[in-house]
Amino acid sequence: MPSVEPFSISCTTCQTRLRVRDSSAIGQILACPKCGSMVLIHGPNGETAVPDSADPAAESPAPLTPAAPPETESGSPVVPPPVENTDETAGTRPQRTFKFREDYAPTIEPVAAKSPRGRHIPSPPKTAGPTASAPPLDGDTPPPPTAGAAHQPDTARIVKQWLLLGSAAVAGVALALLLLAVVASQFGSPPLPVAEAPLPDLPAQSTPTAPENTSDLTQPPADPAPSIEPDDADDTGDADDTGDADEPDQVATPDPVSPAEDTTSPAEDTKDPVEDTTDPADPPEEVAPDDAARTDASTGTTEPAPADHASGPEPPPALPAGLAQVIPALEFRDKPLITFIDFVADFTALPVSLNVDAIRVSRIPLDTNLSCDQQQVTLDDVLQTVLEPVGLEYSVAEGSLVIAPQRDVEQEVEQVAYDVSDLADNDEQMQVLAQLVLKLVVPATWSDAGGNGTLMVDDQSLGIEQTVAGHFHVARFLDRLRLARGLLPRSELPDELLDLTPVFLQAAGELGQPVSANFPEPTEVARILEYFRVASQLHLIVDWPSTTPMNWLPSTLSTLTSEDGQPLSKLLDTWLTPLQLNYRVIDNRTIQIASQSILDSRPELEIYPLKDITAQDATQLIQDLKAHLGAALFVDAGGNGNIVFDSASISLLVLLPQPQQRRAAEWLANVRHR
């Protein structure tokens, strides 16, 4: 065999560098001396065929035939040449020819080896003749020609693979057991009982420590460990799943007694010892015991059995659903009362109103600051905790929450003596002043009008017995009259309550600002009100108990369109008047909407100063004003309005509902200009 310059190749399995000295090894597949893997020997330039100096007969492939391979003279079979390459690129590169030496027979077992790309390379066939040694390769000392030694590297690798597979299986079983333990710990303990009422989506609140019902709006705390996704039946709370003992028991409501059971007469079970004198043809009269349910034969309806009062007092009425909701955490600081009601309304979806008149009588400002910092409480508890320190409470009326003072200012009666020596110098003036009080200060509450209030003139003081609200109005009237006459007030009322400027004019700037509204499609009243609050920067509150009977609620649909630049006061009149509603000004920042009938029943007193007018002219002026407003509004025609001229201050004292006060002020302004 010709020899070539020694060159090196790498084992494709263990990457050991092997040295080739004999060119006859080129194109053959030999075993690596180190790992035993089969290596294709290629030349230094990558060729896999014997160089040109080799025997050309050995390189030419023999055709494949289905017959048995012929034998050589020595009796060993001839090794068939490899299949001819039919690849499309065969014409562009030399054809690979795998050639085995006829006198070479490896002594190791043919073991299938994996090529670097995972393809299976077949082992060389065994020869029947005497074995020949493989061409020597420079490198590590070749292993002894025994099958066991040659197979050791593959055996160690297989054992290593089995060890890895076994370790992975053990780790998988341990992980599965751990997962089952976590699931059992999550679903094995019964949940704590929670309130049945749903809870609303609050912004950024602390997570409750106790798990809530699925109907609650607060989310349960996230599980620190992996959990199993519940089935569809668990998500929807399937009532047929009776095997879950962890769910809290539900109180069963007994079915109402059917009419057939209610009309059962006790006479059918017991025999009356008294002789029956009734006609057998007449049906027996059914007598039900006092504590049993009764059925009305004419309507077929069943009356419930009377309640047993012997067991104790009647339970308090159930709270609205919104007040029974559990709040995980609620914290706010210095929130004004006037905006706190908006928060309560949004949270409970219930209309919330303020008893503005009673709150003002109790001298509680509408911008009183409220604070709260509580966890796991109902809104009922929050309202009590927040309102009680400032002397307020809430009640439910006409499906609305009404916030009012704890003190019943409309029923509690007091006796007060008012020193009016600065307002009246003699008895005649004292009688005139007393008549002004009876005519202009809550006239329906005095004894002459059927009320409980009394007034007595005692020297230079007025002894008055009235409710707390009545005394508030008396003290306010006397001090405003002093201011109109140029005197100093004597009460402790705040200055804003004594201002002689009519209250509806105090918010004239805000009511006169141009506002446009475009609600051509039916829109909820609450949304339109919120638009006005933002556009005017005013507090718009509603007396919902007065509007509820008229089906005007926050959820009521309404439409409203206006031209650009229309004053807010005119826009409110356009919207409210067709609905038999109206508004009144509470102060320079607050507007209240109520039914027209409620506003008509609440007359207010205003003082309009005049200049250079005699008593005779004042009398004619009053008659003209009454004719302009309508005689039916005044006491003479059965109304509750009144107008009196005060000569000491040269002013008109006008008692009218606020919507009519606005008309009177506009008419008087036009008269002054003339």
Side-chain angles (χ1 to χ4, degrees), residues 309-362:
H309 298 283
S311 59
E314 294 183 2
L319 292 174
L323 297 179
Q325 296 175 358
V326 177
I327 305 175
L330 182 61
E331 180 180 0
F332 54 84
R333 289 280 182 268
D334 299 333
K335 179 181 284 293
L337 172 63
I338 196 69
T339 59
F340 174 72
I341 63 173
D342 297 333
F343 159 76
V344 176
D346 294 339
F347 194 88
T348 62
L350 293 174
V352 182
S353 300
L354 292 175
N355 190 337
V356 179
D357 295 328
I359 291 176
R360 182 166 55 180
V361 167
S362 300

Coordinates of all heavy atoms in Angstrom, one line a residue, residues 309-362:
H309 N -95.5 38.2 70.1 CA -94.7 39.3 70.8 C -94.3 38.9 72.2 O -93.5 39.6 72.8 CB -95.6 40.5 70.9 CG -96.1 41.1 69.6 ND1 -95.2 41.8 68.8 CD2 -97.2 41.0 68.9 CE1 -95.8 42.2 67.7 NE2 -97.1 41.7 67.7
A310 N -94.6 37.7 72.6 CA -94.2 37.3 73.9 C -92.7 37.0 74.0 O -92.1 37.0 75.0 CB -95.1 36.1 74.4
S311 N -92.2 36.6 72.8 CA -90.8 36.2 72.8 C -89.8 37.4 72.9 O -88.6 37.2 73.2 CB -90.4 35.5 71.5 OG -90.7 36.3 70.4
G312 N -90.3 38.6 72.8 CA -89.4 39.8 72.9 C -89.8 40.9 71.9 O -90.8 40.8 71.2
P313 N -89.1 42.0 71.9 CA -89.4 43.1 71.0 C -89.2 42.8 69.6 O -88.5 41.9 69.2 CB -88.5 44.2 71.5 CG -87.3 43.5 72.1 CD -87.9 42.3 72.7
E314 N -89.9 43.5 68.7 CA -89.8 43.3 67.3 C -88.3 43.6 66.8 O -87.7 44.5 67.3 CB -90.8 44.1 66.5 CG -92.2 43.8 66.8 CD -93.1 44.6 66.0 OE1 -92.6 45.4 65.2 OE2 -94.4 44.5 66.1
P315 N -87.8 42.8 65.9 CA -86.4 43.1 65.4 C -86.4 44.4 64.7 O -87.4 44.8 64.1 CB -86.1 41.8 64.6 CG -87.5 41.3 64.1 CD -88.4 41.6 65.3
P316 N -85.3 45.1 64.7 CA -85.2 46.3 63.9 C -85.3 46.0 62.4 O -85.0 44.9 61.9 CB -83.8 46.8 64.2 CG -83.0 45.6 64.7 CD -84.0 44.7 65.3
P317 N -85.8 47.0 61.6 CA -85.9 46.8 60.2 C -84.6 46.5 59.5 O -83.6 47.0 60.0 CB -86.6 48.1 59.7 CG -86.2 49.1 60.7 CD -86.2 48.3 62.0
A318 N -84.6 45.7 58.5 CA -83.4 45.3 57.8 C -82.8 46.6 57.1 O -83.5 47.4 56.6 CB -83.6 44.2 56.8
L319 N -81.5 46.7 57.2 CA -80.8 47.8 56.5 C -80.8 47.6 55.0 O -80.9 46.4 54.5 CB -79.3 47.8 57.0 CG -79.1 48.3 58.4 CD1 -77.6 48.1 58.8 CD2 -79.6 49.7 58.7
P320 N -80.8 48.6 54.2 CA -80.6 48.5 52.8 C -79.4 47.7 52.4 O -78.4 47.8 53.2 CB -80.6 49.9 52.3 CG -81.3 50.7 53.3 CD -81.0 50.0 54.6
A321 N -79.4 47.0 51.3 CA -78.2 46.2 51.0 C -76.9 47.0 50.9 O -75.9 46.5 51.3 CB -78.5 45.5 49.6
G322 N -77.0 48.2 50.5 CA -75.7 49.0 50.4 C -75.1 49.3 51.7 O -73.9 49.3 51.9
L323 N -75.9 49.4 52.8 CA -75.4 49.7 54.1 C -74.8 48.5 54.8 O -74.0 48.6 55.7 CB -76.5 50.4 55.0 CG -77.0 51.7 54.5 CD1 -78.1 52.2 55.4 CD2 -75.9 52.7 54.4
A324 N -75.3 47.3 54.4 CA -74.8 46.1 55.0 C -73.5 45.5 54.4 O -73.0 44.5 54.8 CB -75.9 45.0 55.0
Q325 N -73.0 46.2 53.3 CA -71.8 45.7 52.7 C -70.6 45.9 53.6 O -70.5 46.9 54.3 CB -71.6 46.5 51.4 CG -72.7 46.2 50.3 CD -72.5 47.1 49.1 OE1 -71.6 47.9 49.0 NE2 -73.4 47.0 48.1
V326 N -69.7 44.9 53.5 CA -68.5 45.0 54.3 C -67.4 45.6 53.5 O -67.1 45.3 52.4 CB -68.1 43.5 54.7 CG1 -66.7 43.6 55.5 CG2 -69.2 42.9 55.5
I327 N -66.8 46.6 54.2 CA -65.7 47.4 53.5 C -64.4 46.9 54.1 O -64.2 46.9 55.3 CB -65.8 48.9 53.8 CG1 -67.2 49.3 53.3 CG2 -64.7 49.6 53.1 CD1 -67.5 50.8 53.6
P328 N -63.5 46.3 53.3 CA -62.2 45.8 53.8 C -61.4 46.9 54.6 O -60.9 46.7 55.6 CB -61.4 45.3 52.6 CG -62.5 45.1 51.6 CD -63.6 46.1 51.8
A329 N -61.3 48.1 54.0 CA -60.6 49.2 54.6 C -61.1 50.5 54.0 O -61.4 50.6 52.8 CB -59.1 49.1 54.4
L330 N -61.2 51.5 54.9 CA -61.7 52.8 54.5 C -61.0 53.9 55.3 O -61.0 53.9 56.5 CB -63.2 52.9 54.7 CG -63.9 54.3 54.2 CD1 -63.7 54.4 52.8 CD2 -65.3 54.3 54.6
E331 N -60.3 54.8 54.5 CA -59.5 55.8 55.2 C -59.7 57.1 54.4 O -59.4 57.1 53.2 CB -58.1 55.4 55.3 CG -57.2 56.5 56.0 CD -55.8 56.1 56.1 OE1 -55.5 54.9 55.6 OE2 -54.9 56.8 56.6
F332 N -60.1 58.2 55.0 CA -60.1 59.5 54.4 C -59.9 60.5 55.5 O -60.2 60.3 56.7 CB -61.3 59.8 53.6 CG -62.6 59.6 54.3 CD1 -63.2 60.6 55.1 CD2 -63.3 58.4 54.2 CE1 -64.4 60.4 55.8 CE2 -64.5 58.2 54.9 CZ -65.0 59.2 55.7
R333 N -59.4 61.6 55.2 CA -59.1 62.7 56.1 C -59.7 64.0 55.7 O -59.5 64.4 54.5 CB -57.6 62.9 56.3 CG -56.9 61.7 57.0 CD -57.0 61.9 58.5 NE -56.3 60.8 59.2 CZ -56.8 59.6 59.6 NH1 -58.1 59.4 59.3 NH2 -56.1 58.7 60.2
D334 N -60.4 64.7 56.6 CA -60.9 66.0 56.4 C -61.7 66.1 55.1 O -61.5 67.0 54.2 CB -59.8 67.0 56.3 CG -59.0 67.0 57.7 OD1 -59.6 66.7 58.7 OD2 -57.8 67.4 57.7
K335 N -62.7 65.2 54.9 CA -63.6 65.3 53.7 C -64.8 66.1 54.1 O -65.5 65.8 55.1 CB -64.0 63.9 53.3 CG -64.9 63.9 52.1 CD -65.3 62.5 51.7 CE -64.2 61.8 51.0 NZ -63.9 62.5 49.6
P336 N -65.1 67.2 53.4 CA -66.3 68.0 53.8 C -67.6 67.2 53.7 O -67.7 66.3 52.9 CB -66.3 69.1 52.7 CG -64.9 69.2 52.2 CD -64.4 67.8 52.3
L337 N -68.5 67.5 54.6 CA -69.8 66.8 54.6 C -70.5 66.9 53.3 O -71.1 65.9 52.8 CB -70.7 67.4 55.7 CG -72.1 67.0 55.8 CD1 -72.2 65.5 56.1 CD2 -72.9 67.8 56.9
I338 N -70.4 68.1 52.6 CA -71.2 68.3 51.4 C -70.7 67.3 50.3 O -71.4 67.0 49.3 CB -71.1 69.7 50.9 CG1 -72.1 70.1 49.9 CG2 -69.7 70.1 50.5 CD1 -73.5 70.1 50.4
T339 N -69.4 66.9 50.3 CA -68.9 66.0 49.3 C -68.9 64.5 49.8 O -68.8 63.6 49.0 CB -67.5 66.3 48.9 OG1 -66.6 66.3 50.1 CG2 -67.4 67.7 48.3
F340 N -69.0 64.4 51.2 CA -69.1 63.0 51.7 C -70.3 62.3 51.3 O -70.3 61.1 51.0 CB -69.0 63.1 53.3 CG -69.2 61.8 53.9 CD1 -68.3 60.8 53.9 CD2 -70.4 61.5 54.6 CE1 -68.5 59.6 54.5 CE2 -70.6 60.3 55.2 CZ -69.7 59.3 55.2
I341 N -71.4 63.1 51.1 CA -72.7 62.4 50.7 C -72.5 61.9 49.2 O -73.2 60.9 48.9 CB -73.9 63.4 50.8 CG1 -73.7 64.6 49.9 CG2 -74.0 63.8 52.2 CD1 -74.9 65.5 49.8
D342 N -71.7 62.5 48.4 CA -71.5 62.0 47.1 C -70.8 60.7 47.1 O -71.1 59.8 46.4 CB -70.7 63.0 46.2 CG -71.5 64.3 46.0 OD1 -72.7 64.3 46.1 OD2 -70.8 65.4 45.9
F343 N -69.8 60.6 48.0 CA -69.1 59.3 48.2 C -70.0 58.2 48.6 O -70.0 57.1 48.1 CB -68.0 59.5 49.2 CG -67.5 58.2 49.8 CD1 -66.7 57.3 49.1 CD2 -67.8 57.8 51.1 CE1 -66.2 56.2 49.6 CE2 -67.4 56.7 51.7 CZ -66.6 55.8 50.9
V344 N -70.9 58.5 49.6 CA -71.8 57.5 50.1 C -72.8 57.1 49.0 O -73.1 55.9 48.8 CB -72.6 58.0 51.3 CG1 -73.6 57.0 51.8 CG2 -71.6 58.3 52.5
A345 N -73.3 58.0 48.2 CA -74.2 57.7 47.1 C -73.5 56.9 46.1 O -74.2 55.9 45.6 CB -74.7 59.0 46.5
D346 N -72.3 57.2 45.7 CA -71.6 56.3 44.7 C -71.3 54.9 45.2 O -71.4 54.0 44.5 CB -70.3 57.0 44.3 CG -70.5 58.3 43.6 OD1 -71.6 58.5 43.1 OD2 -69.6 59.2 43.6
F347 N -71.1 54.8 46.5 CA -70.7 53.5 47.1 C -71.9 52.6 47.3 O -71.8 51.4 47.1 CB -70.0 53.7 48.4 CG -69.3 52.5 48.9 CD1 -68.0 52.3 48.6 CD2 -69.9 51.6 49.8 CE1 -67.3 51.2 49.1 CE2 -69.3 50.5 50.2 CZ -68.0 50.3 49.9
T348 N -73.0 53.2 47.7 CA -74.2 52.4 48.0 C -75.2 52.3 46.8 O -76.2 51.5 46.9 CB -74.9 52.9 49.2 OG1 -75.4 54.2 49.0 CG2 -74.0 52.9 50.4
A349 N -75.1 53.2 45.8 CA -76.1 53.3 44.8 C -77.4 53.7 45.3 O -78.5 53.4 44.8 CB -76.2 52.0 44.0
L350 N -77.5 54.4 46.5 CA -78.7 54.9 47.1 C -78.7 56.4 47.1 O -77.6 57.0 47.2 CB -78.8 54.4 48.6 CG -79.0 52.9 48.8 CD1 -78.9 52.7 50.3 CD2 -80.3 52.4 48.3
P351 N -79.8 57.0 46.9 CA -79.9 58.5 47.0 C -79.6 59.0 48.4 O -80.1 58.4 49.3 CB -81.4 58.8 46.5 CG -81.9 57.6 45.9 CD -81.1 56.4 46.5
V352 N -78.8 60.0 48.5 CA -78.4 60.5 49.8 C -78.8 62.0 49.9 O -78.4 62.8 48.9 CB -76.9 60.3 50.1 CG1 -76.6 60.8 51.5 CG2 -76.6 58.8 50.0
S353 N -79.5 62.4 50.9 CA -79.9 63.8 51.0 C -79.5 64.4 52.4 O -79.2 63.6 53.3 CB -81.4 63.9 50.9 OG -81.9 63.4 49.7
L354 N -79.4 65.7 52.4 CA -79.1 66.4 53.7 C -80.4 67.2 54.1 O -81.0 67.9 53.3 CB -78.0 67.4 53.5 CG -76.6 66.8 53.2 CD1 -75.6 67.9 52.9 CD2 -76.1 66.0 54.4
N355 N -80.7 67.1 55.4 CA -81.8 68.0 55.9 C -81.1 69.3 56.2 O -80.7 69.6 57.3 CB -82.3 67.4 57.2 CG -83.6 68.1 57.7 OD1 -83.8 69.3 57.3 ND2 -84.4 67.4 58.5
V356 N -81.0 70.1 55.1 CA -80.3 71.4 55.2 C -80.8 72.3 56.2 O -80.0 72.9 57.0 CB -80.2 72.0 53.8 CG1 -79.5 73.3 53.8 CG2 -79.6 71.1 52.8
D357 N -82.1 72.5 56.3 CA -82.7 73.4 57.3 C -82.3 73.0 58.7 O -81.9 73.9 59.5 CB -84.2 73.5 57.1 CG -84.5 74.1 55.7 OD1 -83.7 74.9 55.2 OD2 -85.5 73.7 55.1
A358 N -82.5 71.8 59.0 CA -82.2 71.3 60.4 C -80.7 71.4 60.7 O -80.3 71.7 61.8 CB -82.7 69.9 60.6
I359 N -79.9 71.1 59.7 CA -78.4 71.2 59.9 C -78.0 72.7 60.2 O -77.2 72.9 61.0 CB -77.7 70.6 58.7 CG1 -77.9 69.1 58.7 CG2 -76.2 70.9 58.8 CD1 -77.3 68.4 57.5
R360 N -78.6 73.6 59.4 CA -78.3 75.0 59.6 C -78.8 75.5 61.0 O -78.1 76.3 61.7 CB -78.9 75.8 58.5 CG -78.6 77.3 58.6 CD -78.9 78.0 57.3 NE -80.3 77.8 56.9 CZ -80.8 78.3 55.8 NH1 -80.0 79.1 55.0 NH2 -82.0 78.1 55.5
V361 N -80.0 75.0 61.4 CA -80.5 75.4 62.7 C -79.5 74.9 63.8 O -79.3 75.6 64.8 CB -81.9 74.8 62.9 CG1 -82.3 74.9 64.4 CG2 -82.9 75.5 62.1
S362 N -79.0 73.7 63.6 CA -78.0 73.1 64.6 C -76.6 73.8 64.5 O -75.7 73.4 65.2 CB -77.9 71.6 64.5 OG -79.2 71.0 64.6

